[in-house]
Amino acid sequence: MDFELSEDQQMLQQAAREFAQSELVERAAEADRTEEFVADSIRLCGEMGFLGMSVPEEYGGSALGALGAVLVLTEINKACAATGTTVSVHNSLACESIVRFGSDELKQRYLPKLATGEMLGGYALSEAGSGSDAGSLVCKATQDGDDWILDGTKLWISHGSVCDLVVVFARTDADAGNKGITAFLVESAWEGYKPGKKEVKMGLRGSPTVELHLDKMRVPGSNVLGEVNRGFGIAMGLLDGGRIGIAGQGLGISEACLEAAVKFAGEREQFGKPIAAFGAVQEKIAEMATKLEAARLLTYRAASLKDAGKPHGREASMAKLEASRASNYCAKEALQIHGGAGYTRDFPVERYFRDARVTEIYEGTTEIQKLVIARSYLRP
Ligand code: CAA
């Protein structure tokens, strides 16, 4: 078993690190303050090829694979988690929906634009009454000739107010439970696409999360992904990949917290010496680093399985479970090491603490990851 990244992977990691540290860090603090979408950061990610990480080269993508994407997402999230969420959802849930389930026509029409960032992609699964129980969604799609008419409201849609193309899951059979859901590709420019209330959030403030009203929206039949009534499996299959992306976010936030904590502990003096000299602080650093590295191994393993075309749902949930918990642990301890200073906006750990929180909630809560993992043993 090889625990070393290849030379190419190390170069990718280094390039992403230099880019993120020079271009994203300051913009992250600004977006957190203004709550404005990190549009410039996303444009720059597009220039780096980071919006086409899951898109094959023949469609203009950088085709970095799941492990390559984790390396990039770790660096992006270490600098700016709002940018990280946008890049992750765009790649793993939107682009990948077309790569895996789209017709040739849909691939040709959308992938080249998504790969450069000319179009930004989103994912609309959740609704007011269907969060963890995603299969109970009620947003309706009714057939009208070759077209479908979508009607209903989706909730918690990341960058739904600024994206161009969204994978929308809607009910096409009222009586068939999760066997009556279909995946549609919807352009935000089409009539009937109406972003609603923007949530006022604790963290990820540079990533607008909105309600999305689909008001009798006409969607051509050619924009159905996969087969009618088979959308729930598509939603779940995409989330297997998405959860690896969010695990990458957990790694990035954890790394940022660890680095901030080490730096502060080396500079801050109490009782005549740097607080890094105290066992209580060393114990925190050791726990943070170990949780980070354990989560990293799980995340790289899940990504490697995906790249090898092997089943990876259980491993993706394990990676997301551990990496999201590591980021919350690291953020809590980094803030504690900073003491009162960490509780102010003078230091970024306060933002890391707020940004980390949602990693245990979106793309499946910690509790849902445990359900997926347990079921994989109990119902193999
Ligand atoms: N891949 C493919 N198919 C899958 C699958 C997977 N990973 N998981 C389940 N399925 C299939 C099953 O095989 C089953 O098919 P059959 O009936 O043909 O056998 C079908 O789906 C139903 O499976 P379950 O019985 O397991 O379904 P369930 O209703 O019990 O729900 C769940 C399972 C794991 C709880 C699921 O609802 C879930 O993951 N909930 C969390 C939802 C979630 O993560 N939402 C995130 C929103 S998106 C987001 O946050 C993005 C963002 O903006 C950041």
Side-chain angles (χ1 to χ4, degrees), residues 85 89 93 123 125-126 131-135 156 158 178-179 232-233 236-237 239-240 243 362-364 368 371-372 375 379:
T85 296
V89 169
L93 299 180
Y123 179 90
L125 175 65
S126 304
S132 291
D133 183 9
W156 311 119
S158 294
N178 56 32
K179 290 196 169 44
F232 189 71
M236 294 297 110
L239 281 169
D240 287 345
R243 288 167 182 165
Y362 65 11
E363 297 210 21
I368 288 296
L371 181 91
V372 171
R375 279 185 179 178
R379 293 185 193 168

Side-chain angles (χ1 to χ4, degrees), residues 88-97 122-123 167 238-239 241-242 363:
S88 184
V89 169
H90 170 89
N91 274 286
S92 63
L93 299 180
C95 295
E96 216 167 309
S97 74
Y123 179 90
V167 191
L238 290 170
L239 281 169
E363 297 210 21

